Amino acid sequence: MDAAIVFAALAGLCWAVNIVIVRWALDRTHAPALVGATVGIAVATAVAAVVALASGQSPPSSDDAWRFALVGAIAPGSSQGLFVASIRSIGPARSSVLVGTAPMFSVMLAIALLDESWQALIVAGTLLTVAGSALISWERGQGFRRIGVALA
């Protein structure tokens, strides 16, 4: 089996475990969403730093570092707090489906700040992903909190 497929499956499993654990922790601790977001970002930062140091690659230039820091502050940085708040509001299932719209923001940020190329297939794929997520998460007649949808 190709390593990329194994890592993609592992990432999906970790994503599912993450949202379930966040909901469980919020129910047990009654902690503010910002606490959960801070812990998540701290763990992600530590793991990324260990992997970067272990790889032996040269560090990025200061010109690249500020752009990646800015993108990282937006997503996953500030978006992590919104995601944890949406899990508290509308639950992990709806939140994870709505977070499927994240490719739209990732593509826009990558094109604007990281000099990624603008291609019709990327835009079409992004729009289809966002439309699919919106259709899956919408349920007629359900009285779930609209603010949770906005947070997700």
Side-chain angles (χ1 to χ4, degrees):
M1 182 176 277
D2 189 18
I5 293 171
V6 171
F7 286 137
L10 182 61
L13 176 66
C14 289
W15 173 252
V17 169
N18 173 48
I19 61 173
V20 171
I21 288 174
V22 166
R23 179 58 182 212
W24 175 78
L26 287 171
D27 287 345
R28 287 183 54 98
T29 64
H30 304 292
L34 187 56
V35 171
T38 303
V39 170
I41 292 168
V43 170
T45 302
V47 169
V50 168
V51 170
L53 291 172
S55 72
Q57 300 292 322
S58 61
S61 69
S62 61
D63 184 47
D64 288 336
W66 79 265
R67 292 188 297 166
F68 280 96
L70 178 62
V71 171
I74 296 168
S78 62
S79 64
Q80 187 69 21
L82 297 173
F83 179 60
V84 172
S86 76
I87 291 173
R88 171 171 278 159
S89 179
I90 61 174
R94 282 192 181 95
S95 294
S96 67
V97 168
L98 286 170
V99 169
T101 62
M104 176 179 67
F105 301 108
S106 298
V107 166
M108 290 186 328
L109 289 171
I111 290 170
L113 298 172
L114 302 176
D115 298 326
E116 290 286 332
S117 62
W118 179 270
Q119 298 175 0
L121 286 176
I122 291 174
V123 173
T126 301
L127 292 175
L128 287 172
T129 301
V130 171
S133 295
L135 288 173
I136 289 171
S137 65
W138 182 70
E139 295 180 38
R140 175 175 272 173
Q142 291 293 323
F144 60 89
R145 298 180 188 121
R146 304 283 187 252
I147 189 70
V149 172
L151 291 170

